[in-house]
Amino acid sequence: MAAPPDRDYMAACSRLASLMSISISAARRRIDLAAVKEGIRDTPGRIALAERLLSEAEPGSQAARLRLDGLLEAVASEANFMDED
């Protein structure tokens, strides 16, 4: 049987989920994948990682601006596409 999740870790996951408008399980997976990439195994490290992801996801942050700029760029195959009314 799996151990119950840490309360602080789940609170960090829920704050990230709320800010990104995703489910708590999706936010938890996002944190877990980032933790695996960075080699973080302990709960306090995952909480710190969640806080860092939370600060990066805030609307006024530089990372959020860069992500939005990337989404607004036209794909090369659709660069000359015009939408009709």
Side-chain angles (χ1 to χ4, degrees):
M1 185 169 157
D6 185 63
R7 183 178 176 92
D8 295 330
Y9 178 62
M10 291 308 294
C13 290
S14 65
R15 286 192 304 271
L16 183 64
S18 176
L19 184 65
M20 298 183 78
S21 298
I22 57 177
S23 68
I24 294 176
S25 62
R28 185 174 168 190
R29 275 193 303 268
R30 185 172 293 221
I31 294 168
D32 289 343
L33 287 174
V36 168
K37 286 180 184 176
E38 295 184 16
I40 299 171
R41 295 180 183 256
D42 59 338
T43 303
R46 287 178 187 250
I47 293 171
L49 176 63
E51 294 296 330
R52 192 181 80 219
L53 290 175
L54 185 64
S55 67
E56 290 174 0
E58 288 188 14
S61 70
Q62 182 66 22
R65 285 189 211 119
L66 293 174
R67 187 172 34 248
L68 181 60
D69 288 345
L71 291 172
L72 293 176
E73 289 180 8
V75 180
S77 63
E78 298 175 355
N80 296 324
F81 179 76
M82 289 187 67
D83 190 24
E84 296 180 11
D85 290 331

